[in-house]
Amino acid sequence: MIQTALDIETIRKDFPILNRKVNGKPLVYLDNAATSQTPQQVIDVIVDYYQNYNANIHRGVHSLSQEATDAYEAARIKIQKHYNIAKTHEVILTSGTTHSINLVANGFTSFVKKGDEILVSAMEHHSNIVPWQMLCERTGAILKVIPMNQNGELVMEAFHDLLSDKTKMVFCNHVSNALGTVNPIKEIIEASHKVGAAVLVDGAQAAPHIKADMQALDVDFYTVSAHKVCGPTGVGMLYGKEEWLNKLPPYQGGGEMIAEVTFEKTTYADLPHKFEAGTPNICGGIAFGAALDYMNSIGFDAIAQYEEELLQYATAQLLAIDGLKIYGTAKNKTSVISFNIDGIHPYDIGTILDKLGIAVRTGHHCAQPIMDFYKIPGTVRASFSFYNTKEEVDVLVEGVKRARNMLL
Amino acid sequence: MTIESIQEEIVDEFSMFDDWMQRYEYMIELGKSLPLIDGQYKTDDNIIKGCQSKVWVHAELDNDKLVFTADSDAIITKGIIAILIRAFSNQKPQDIIDANTDFIDEIGLKEHLSPTRANGLVSMVKQLKLYAIAYQTQLN
């Protein structure tokens, strides 16, 4: 029996989707690292928006527009408080982590010159590799990689050796999506700042597990996608320190982001609107705030503790299966298990598990460099959330055993 | 045998199975029995794009008939290719071009037909037909 302060059965009732069947079997949803499920409390907020106050924001004089604007800006403040951000206008609402990273990478074209160095960790998602490669192509800067060891942990000695006065930016995820490793971002931020480099931390995978404190971390940029924390897809956050956001040029032109427009010259709006061109995902932003309220009502400490119990239990059960190898065995990791079984392709395991109603991710998890590192085509990834149960872990383990028997 | 009669035969075989487990076990068996492709043809050029697993297909003309050999690193995918090859290999290119693929639906693999499905069954069928078109042009 897993000890937890959480009432998991009651929590599960908040998620209507968990009642459905897939291929005739009760859904066992273990693809939470790809996207989390949405509780009724958040669904209600989305329905309420469209039923009662759907309007464009920031410019209408009518009541509906004002209500929608108030709700959207209230969500921004919820996000600010959740991440302990000093100023409300340091919260830029974007379409998600990928948008946030591209916004910064694009803006940094102005600050980076030929020969400058940019460091990325070896365990990045493609979305935190490709934009920097594009930046390097545009500017002639050099991309260098912070290596990782077999456990899936960054080699920090190598990181410190790579840092120099040429280093302009460092990019690292807070938590690896493919391996679950929690990276020592505090150490990375402090060391990078000593050589004058800015740091962007991709917080997409940390968001459902760790309540990150922007002021304590002293990070320059931090990115989050709402759909990883029980919110909707298509909305997320870019946190940026005010001084950086003021220096960065606008990313997209359009309505909302301007102060004055003539054909001769346009002056840009103040933060955060300078980076929020066009009509935003209004409902999504409001629901993002509601999702954080929901997660906080459960409590991140209790979530982290329970997920750790699930992780330990699942790890022990899975490792008992003959030929099963887990990739990513960092001391500090979130509730993600990436694994393979000797002689079986991850795709085959995923296909059989799907027939059993179990949703896992298979493939390279948009992190091909990690797969190349381990010399594997991909892995099966089971990722657990606070609404998963020990019984669901048992279903997974039985499913993997069954798949193994069928496939070997 | 014509493509159509082979397809009917496959549909008959699959109709004996009561549930998905048996269907998949059979596909896995078919995958294991797929004759190995000659190593020299397992090149990047012969990889079908759009599959989560790697799939290699090689085609060559034997008199007026097109012969396919294939392999994959995933066994269920191999089973699917084995079924496709049984239906389409050793046939005239024009017959392959004209053949329909409804039998895939009838043997309960409809779920694999979605173009967004990561196993790329659609890509495989397309690739076999593209080979047929290429060789038909050569025969003309």
Side-chain angles (χ1 to χ4, degrees), chain A residues 144-387:
Chain A
K144 294 203 162 178
V145 180
I146 310 164
M148 66 178 204
N149 63 24
Q150 284 294 326
N151 295 331
E153 295 164 314
L154 291 178
V155 182
M156 293 305 285
E157 299 78 31
F159 162 69
H160 289 290
D161 288 345
L162 282 170
L163 272 182
S164 74
D165 55 4
K166 286 186 191 160
T167 314
K168 287 293 171 287
M169 320 170 72
V170 177
F171 306 105
C172 182
N173 51 31
H174 196 165
V175 170
S176 154
N177 73 311
L179 306 174
T181 310
V182 180
N183 285 314
I185 55 166
K186 182 76 181 155
E187 182 182 341
I188 289 171
I189 294 162
E190 281 177 2
S192 303
H193 284 170
K194 279 187 189 147
V195 299
V199 181
L200 181 145
V201 173
D202 168 359
Q205 290 296 327
H209 312 289
I210 298 166
K211 196 167 174 169
D213 182 326
M214 295 301 108
Q215 295 185 74
L217 285 172
D218 193 31
V219 66
D220 302 291
F221 301 98
Y222 193 90
T223 65
V224 174
S225 294
H227 72 98
K228 308 285 191 192
V229 273
C230 299
T233 54
V235 66
M237 169 192 86
L238 167 65
Y239 160 74
K241 277 185 186 164
E242 183 182 37
E243 54 180 296
W244 275 117
L245 293 177
N246 278 330
K247 274 194 270 184
L248 278 185
Y251 178 46
Q252 291 176 317
E256 191 96 357
M257 52 77 74
I258 47 86
E260 277 185 71
V261 177
T262 66
F263 282 109
E264 288 71 39
K265 185 173 171 55
T266 292
T267 52
Y268 302 121
D270 291 334
L271 294 173
H273 307 295
K274 173 177 152 188
F275 295 108
E276 295 182 355
T279 298
N281 183 349
I282 302 166
C283 177
I286 296 167
F288 185 6
L292 291 177
D293 280 347
Y294 178 81
M295 297 284 289
N296 280 309
S297 76
I298 293 169
F300 275 77
D301 289 344
I303 287 173
Q305 193 233 332
Y306 177 64
E307 287 175 344
E308 174 66 19
E309 300 270 344
L310 277 180
L311 176 68
Q312 298 294 343
Y313 180 72
T315 302
Q317 299 291 309
L318 286 169
L319 282 177
I321 296 172
D322 203 18
L324 189 142
K325 179 175 169 132
I326 291 178
Y327 297 90
T329 49
K331 286 181 206 81
N332 194 3
K333 68 179 274 193
T334 58
S335 48
V336 169
I337 301 180
S338 246
F339 66 91
N340 274 330
I341 295 178
D342 275 348
I344 305 181
H345 196 281
Y347 168 78
D348 287 326
I349 298 175
T351 303
I352 300 294
L353 291 179
D354 175 56
K355 299 302 282 182
L356 296 167
I358 305 163
V360 293
R361 176 85 186 264
T362 64
H364 54 56
H365 317 297
C366 298
Q368 276 177 351
I370 297 182
M371 304 303 135
D372 293 344
F373 176 80
Y374 287 116
K375 299 188 172 58
I376 49 176
T379 67
V380 181
R381 183 188 68 185
S383 49
F384 307 95
S385 179
F386 58 92
Y387 46 70

Side-chain angles (χ1 to χ4, degrees), chain A residues 347-348 355 362 402 407-408, chain B residues 21 52 74-76 111 119:
Chain A
Y347 168 78
D348 287 326
K355 299 302 282 182
T362 64
R402 197 165 164 185
L407 293 162
L408 269 186
Chain B
M21 273 283 285
Q52 207 182 75
I75 194 76
I76 293 172
E111 68 211 45
N119 73 13

